[in-house]
Amino acid sequence: MNPEPPASSRSSALLSAAGVVIIVAGLKAAAELLLPLVFALFLAAFSLPLVAWLERHRVPRTLAVLITVLADFAILVCAVLLVAGQFNAFTAAWPRYQARLGQIADST
């Protein structure tokens, strides 16, 4: 037989669960602020090696940052165009997928 855990153990687990719920609720409430901040930090960390490399090759810091921002923008535009193209291809093929799913559902 398993002995029942002490009350302090149960209350500790309950407090931990409540803490997790509060943290998750706080993160969800702060998402509008945190998402752009996290994206900016990721972009800065991603761009720093290019700025450093340009500075090592005697490009002035202002120009290095400008070149890096333009490169980041170009990469972002390419990613958006790629996703948009894939989305358009998916929506064009959707009737075929829907018909095939209907056939599979009817055969089962």
Side-chain angles (χ1 to χ4, degrees), residues 17-77:
V20 167
V21 168
I22 290 171
I23 290 172
V24 168
L27 287 173
K28 189 169 180 137
E32 289 183 26
L33 176 67
L34 289 178
L35 186 63
L37 182 64
V38 169
F39 181 70
L41 289 172
F42 172 75
L43 193 58
F46 177 75
S47 301
L48 186 61
L50 180 58
V51 172
W53 184 83
L54 288 169
E55 285 182 331
R56 276 194 311 270
H57 287 82
R58 300 186 191 271
V59 176
R61 185 172 186 83
T62 306
L63 186 56
V65 169
L66 179 63
I67 291 169
T68 304
V69 167
L70 291 175
D72 290 342
F73 184 71
I75 290 169
L76 189 62
V77 166

